[in-house]
Every structure is written in C-alpha cells, then in structure tokens.
Amino acid sequence: MNAKRRVAITGIGLVTPVGNDVSTTWDALLAGRSGGAEISLFDASGFPVHIAAEVKDFQDGDFVDRKQRKFANRSHRFALAAAEQAFRDAGLKPTADTATRWGCAVGAGMMTSDFGDLATTYAHSGADGELHADRLLSDPAANDPMVFCRSQATAGLSLLTRRYDIRGYATSVHTACASGGQALGTAMKLIRRGAVDYALAGGFDSMISPIGISGFCLLSALSPDNATPQRASRPFDATRNGFLLGEGAGFLVLEEWTAARRRGARIYAELAGDGNSLSSYRITDSPPDGDGPIQAMRAAIKDAGALPSDIDYLNAHGTSTGMNDRSETAATHAVFGDDVMRVNVSSTKSTMGHLIAAAGAVEVAVCALAIHRGEMPINANLVERDVDCNLNFVTGSPRRQRVRVAMSNSFGFGGSNSCVVVRHPAEVDGASNEGAEIRR
Amino acid sequence: MTNASSVVVTGTGAVCGAGMTPDAILDAITAGHSAIRPIAQWDTTGWPCRVAAEIPDFNPRALVDDRKLHKLIRRTDLVGLYAAGRAIDGSGIVGHRDALSADDAAVYSDRTGVYVGSGGGNYENQYDYFPLFAAAGGELPAFGRELANTVNPMWLLRTLPNNVLGHIGIKHGLKGSNACITNHSVGGTLAVIEACEALRNGEADRAVAVGHETPIEPQMVLYYHRLGLLATEVLRPFDARHDGSLFGEGAGALVLDTAASAAARNAPALGEILGGGYACEAQGLAAIRDDGDGLARAIVQALDGAHLAPADIGMIVAHANGTPQSDLSEAAAIRRVFGASIPPVTGFKWAIGHTIAAAGILEAALALTALARGIVPGIANLEELDPACAELPVSARAQTPRSKVALILGRGFAGTDAALVVRGA
C-alpha cells in the first residue's frame, strides 16, 4: 500500500562551509575547494585543534524574520535560510488550504546553551568551578525566556513550523551524525503512508564553539592538522587523522510524486529508500567488519525497490577517521560484492567537513544534485589511498555520467546508521510500477 | 496509522517518583498519593517553585547495574535504560533469541528495532565546564589550554541525546531500525507511533519503545516558572484553582511485537496499540491555540487509524498538565471530537508530575495497567471543576471504563499534539 505513493524532491536549500546556496556549494564540491580554515568565530588559539570549516559571510537578512531572530541561534538561522531557499526553489509553500497536509522532520544538533549564555551564567552564578543555584534567581541568562527558547531541542522545529505554518506531523530527531539522514527518511515515510502530502525535511547544526570543539578534542576525533586546514579532511587517505568540524544546514521540499507531476514541478530525484540499523558495537567506534552499516545499506536499497547493481554513486559517510573509513569500506564491499568497483564513491566531507546533525541531509541533497546534473563531486585530498580502503573513488576531477540511483551513508555516535537512496526521475517514469512493486 | 494489522504489547516498564513498576505507580495513584514533594536535589529556599516528583533516594545502581556505564551517561539515561530493561525482561525477547541458532539469532537482532523519545540536552551537563571557566579566568586561549586537564574526556558522550538508544542496542544486542525523537513532551508517544509503523511496514518484527526525561534541575525550573508554566504548590488539572504544571522525572517503555512475533514465543499480550495521530499547531515554542485544534485533529487521526468511533473509547488519559491554557484547550478538543458522549476522563500528572519526553509512553503503560484492572483512576486532588471544563467526566474518585480501549493524549512545545489508542488485555 505504501509502495503506491512515491516521494519527489522538488526543492533544495543549502548553507554550507563552501557556499551559502546550492550553486556556490556545488561548484566548490566539484572543484574540491575545502572550507577548512583557522577558526574565526572565537579565539581558538589555545585549543588543541583551532581549525574548522565555518559557514562564511552568512547574511541572514534575506531569510530570517526579524521577530524570529532573537529566538534563533546560529544553527537555527542556517536552518531558516536553507528552508527558505528550498521553498523558493520548489515554488511551493504551505497555504491555508494545505497547511495540515504539510509535515516537517528535522535533524537538530545536540548543543543546549550558546557559549555566550553559558559564560554569562558562570560569571553570575558560578564560582570556584561550581554552580551556586541560589544565584540563578538573579542571573540574567537564567531568567531570559529567549535564552531558554534558543536552547530547546525543538527550537528549530518551532521556528520552521511557525514561519511556514506547517500543521501536520512535525518532528525533531537526533542520532548524532545520522540525524539528517534519519529526518529525511522519517519525512519520506510520512508521505508514503499518507500522514502528509508534502514535507519540509532536513538538518542543521553548529558545534564550532568553545564547548563543541572541546567535546570533540577531548575524544581526539578531530584532525590536529592546524597548519593545513584545507588538507585536514582527507577521507580514505592513508594519512587521514580525524575529521574537520563543519556547520550548516540542508533542507529539501518533498512532495507526493503524482501531485508534483500534476503541478509540473521540476523533480530533482525520487527520495526512494531509507534504511536504518544499530551497530550495537561501541558508542563511538565503528565495527571493523562493517556489521551494522551493511544492514542499513541493504535495507535502504531494498526499500527503494532497487538492486545494488542499480547504484551508480555512493556519497560515503567518509569522516576521515581511521576507523570509520575502514569500516565503511568493508561494508561497501559486503553490499556490492564483485560489483563494488563499478560504484563511484566520494566523501564530500573532504570539502565541507563534517556537518554533524546536518551532514546526512546535506549529503542526500548532494546525491539528488548528482542525479539532476549528471555529475559526481570529488573526494578531495585523496593522495595516497589507504590500502584497506579499496573503492572506486572520484578523485581529481568530477565524473560526468548519468546517475540512475545514488545512496548517502551516515553513521552516528551511538551506533545509529542511516542510509538514504535517491533515484533519477526518468527511472521512475520510465519503469513500470508493477516491476518496482515486485522487487519491493 | 492506517493499517489494521495488529501490534501487541508484550512488555512494559516504568519508573517515576511514585514507583519502579507500572503496578506500583498505579497503586500509588489509585490510593490518592501524589509523589510531588519538596525538591531534594538542591536547596530551594527562596525559589518560586519548590516541589516536583523526584525519584526518591535516587540510586544509580538500582537503575543500571553496570557501574562502568555510569560515567558515560546522565541521570536521564539511567531511568530510560532501567525502564527499557524491565520491559525487555518482561517480554522475553532476549531469552527467546538466545535460544535460537546463531544465524537465526542474528536475524532476530536485525529485526528488532529501538525507538526512543529523549529530552535531548540539559543544563547541568554544561556545568561540567565550570571548573574550566574557573581555571581559564575568562580567557579563551587559557580555556583551550586547560581543557584536557579539567574536563572529563567522555563529556561529549554523556551529552549525546541518543544514549539510551545506543546503550539499549549494546546491552541487549538489538540492531534493527531505530529513531531517537527529541520532540519535547510528545517524544515518548511518537516513539510508540513510529515503532508501530515500522512493524506494520515490515521494517522490524518487534521493537522496544521508550521515553525518558529528568527535567528537575534549577535552570529548567526557573525557565518554566518565567514562562508562567509552573504551579506554585499543587498540580490540579481541570480544577478551578489550576495554576500550572509541576515537573516529574521518569521513564516508560513498551515492547511491541507483530502478532506473529509474539506468537512465536507464546508471549502473552498485555494489550494492543490500535492507532496514533499527530498534528502541529505552528504557534511557536510555548504557545498553543485556545480551541485545541491540533489536539482534536490528532485524536481524529488516531481514531481513524484504529477504525474506531468516538463511542468505542472507554477512557481518556488526558494530558492534564494543570496549566489553565492547556487544560481548557484540551477540554475544547475533547468536546469537539466526543460531543455529548465523553468517556471517563483522567490524568496522571497530578500524582507523578510532568515527565516531559517520558509522559506519553509512561502514561500509556499506566493506562494498560488501569484497563487490566478495569478502573479509571481518579484525580484525587480535584476539588471543584473549572466551569470551563464543566462537561468533562473527571472525578476525584475512580470511575469504570466504558470499554477496554483507552485514548492517551500528549502535548508538547512547538505546538505539537499526539494521541494514542490502546486496547487493554
């Protein structure tokens, strides 16, 4: 019954470390122009890692309602901007008639207070390294409802649903680096099962703050290559030594397929399949044999009614950590078998860095664009391939070919694995639906 | 949920200020005992709100036996893992799997999902940086240099909103489809709804659903007070003197199976999930509509999904959070759907506080227990019904459900409303 309803991607919006819109981001991804640089958002000179891939020259005036601005932190402003881009791109927004038929699913970051608000609370209510709860009663940050609103897990969701009057199923999810992918999968299923006909779906995050950087530094997860920020993220390279922290947002406008066709919408791709699994191995480690990611990849392909042989492009999770890239390679070999060297693979984290809760959403958008434009962005900075990472990487220059089906991998701390499959619209319209039914 | 195929409940778990099992909690509620007491976690002298439903004598070891794990997780994760563990133990899924052949057991684990409603981050977790603020003397470069000497290297892991999800998977070896829903007070309900959808959609054969939150911390209490959401002393839903909500901490968990999965291990059904509905009012973070529009739409969806008419509902477990605005708009939504024939209505928050992300699923576990006993527990502190809620059949005394089916309502920040329909055993 669900199989009868397909989901079309009709709008895309991106705010990334390599561009504040889709076309600028895309050009940078094709060229492999890294967004890595010395951190400018705060004085990071004393931190073990003081490089990151920041969103640059971000002007939110075009996108963010002035009244909403005080309820929005940096990541929420990225979300509002990317969502507005996606709606304009789709040429469709909720109306009084359709509001209850619109859903919203977002992957939101894990940070609570902004650093500045936490510092205010320490200055007022902390002493000798401890909170003095009695002082909170007169603490300006602890009594400011705006500070509270910005720090809530549903802050971004509430800004988006209010701004666009989205009155159907609206949800916020968080599975660390898998959040964005799981949000898109959730939205796809809402349309499939008829809970809504349209959805705004995506992810947003910004952890480039003293606390965010600290959290990853303490886990030794970041590349310490402070002198060469543009080379710091080099997934699958033998010399890789950690990820480059990015920030940003990616949003898609999704519509039930036949409705999108009826209104003559430009369809980038079908959002065709979603697969999730738990590695249940260790909280931060990837299983060396790919167990966990394998099941998610297979489930996503099956859910799309596709076969591994249909996949032309894999946007890898590819964090540039030793463990992930080996584990992901093992999983990719297990899923594609003898066919594995046919599949074009790149990790666009090589260019954008790791957008954490936004990563999955941005990278599914990259897959949709690869299908729409018939070109695949490169895995930048891959000079000396790790012998344990033998895949058909897109390096040097982008590959231009028709992409029938593409897949995005996202694997999070906590062991959640999210894989999302997108399909060329001509493969949908050309294929007999009955054939797809049988495979499913 | 539009598919009628059956999802059965085979295990339940719950913990909150009133007890450590659904039965014990319901015993306290039916005895008219409220777990709302003076807050013990910090000195509340001079605070505008000084009460909440804390878990008494909070003992991490009693909740999670593995002491090594305590360093990696927060208080909220302890209660979530406890409730999930009780539900899993009760359901027998792990014992059944471990008796299978290695290959079959691997498939069984891959076909078992985990769906969590989590409160997300909290404020106290951030105070772990206060020693570093002190050491740095206000200088960011020094903050960076002293970092490794001052902050627990596992800090970020303790922060993860999806810890309960990940650690349920690791402890019990479950590896199927999953979600961690950080959607305020409807997170627990959505965990149930999404787990059911995964079962009906064939993504999994069984799933653990859990909701957990421990919101009783100073900064949270202060913010909710400033927003006008907290009562001064007593949470009195639908009462003429209702003046706000009060926090509780806790978790609820359900193990859900397809009928075939439950039958394969002869697991008795404790109930069935019949339908769920969900809507958003899009009014901003803390605002809700006076007419209850979102909640009414969620209830209608849930009934439609369950193929039931309003007359089939035997009792309503209302959100009943005690804020006048929520109580009145909730009454409006119930009137809109049920007209003149409203089944007995109750709520549990007067006794266990508002457990936020845990509320929907914890209250669903209690609703199943109440249906099994054939009672609608009273709201014991109800004295005089708010005239604006006059038609609601709420009572300080126990009532009798008019069928085995309960409707559980939940409402959260961002104007979200959720409804769940369950049938008791």
Side-chain angles (χ1 to χ4, degrees), chain A residues 255-298:
Chain A
E255 299 176 51
E256 191 276 320
W257 187 271
T258 55
R261 277 287 182 231
R262 254 200 319 275
R263 77 175 181 96
R266 179 260 338 272
I267 296 177
Y268 286 97
E270 181 196 9
L271 184 56
D274 172 57
N276 293 294
S277 70
L278 279 170
S279 291
S280 297
Y281 179 66
R282 294 173 188 158
I283 283 293
T284 56
D285 294 1
S286 322
D289 58 1
D291 181 50
I294 293 171
Q295 292 92 317
M297 292 170 79
R298 285 184 176 149

Side-chain angles (χ1 to χ4, degrees), chain B residues 252-349:
Chain B
L254 302 174
V255 172
L256 307 171
D257 281 80
T258 62
S261 169
R265 61 175 196 281
N266 296 316
L270 309 173
E272 257 182 277
I273 310 294
L274 301 178
Y278 182 55
C280 174
E281 291 187 343
Q283 304 291 297
L285 193 80
I288 54 176
R289 287 166 58 114
D290 291 335
D291 61 4
D293 177 66
L295 187 58
R297 287 189 286 123
I299 296 169
V300 168
Q301 270 182 38
L303 291 172
D304 287 352
H307 304 293
L308 293 176
D312 297 323
I313 298 297
M315 66 184 271
I316 298 176
V317 176
H319 184 59
N321 75 355
T323 69
Q325 202 190 6
S326 179
D327 285 354
L328 266 49
S329 56
E330 183 166 31
I334 291 171
R335 275 196 302 267
R336 183 166 130 192
V337 178
F338 290 89
S341 178
I342 306 176
V345 174
T346 188
F348 298 134
K349 292 183 180 72

Side-chain angles (χ1 to χ4, degrees), chain A residues 2 46 113 122 141 143 151 167-172 174 182 189 193 214 277-278 280 284 291 295 413-414 416, chain B residues 110 123 126 129 134 141 144-145 157 162 166 169 174-175 178 180 182-183 194 201 203 223 226 278 280 289 297:
Chain A
N2 287 338
S113 300
Y122 180 72
N143 286 279
S151 67
R167 295 180 183 236
Y169 192 122
T171 192
S172 187
H174 185 93
Q182 290 205 335
K189 290 178 207 164
R193 72 190 194 222
S214 290
S277 70
L278 279 170
S280 297
T284 56
D291 181 50
Q295 292 92 317
F413 279 177
S416 286
Chain B
D110 284 344
Y123 296 98
Q126 307 177 129
Y129 277 86
R145 280 193 301 276
L157 302 187
N162 52 321
L174 311 180
K175 300 168 78 170
N178 60 90
C180 175
T182 48
N183 206 358
E194 291 305 316
N201 200 24
E203 288 175 73
Y223 284 133
R226 290 286 173 236
Y278 182 55
C280 174
R289 287 166 58 114
R297 287 189 286 123

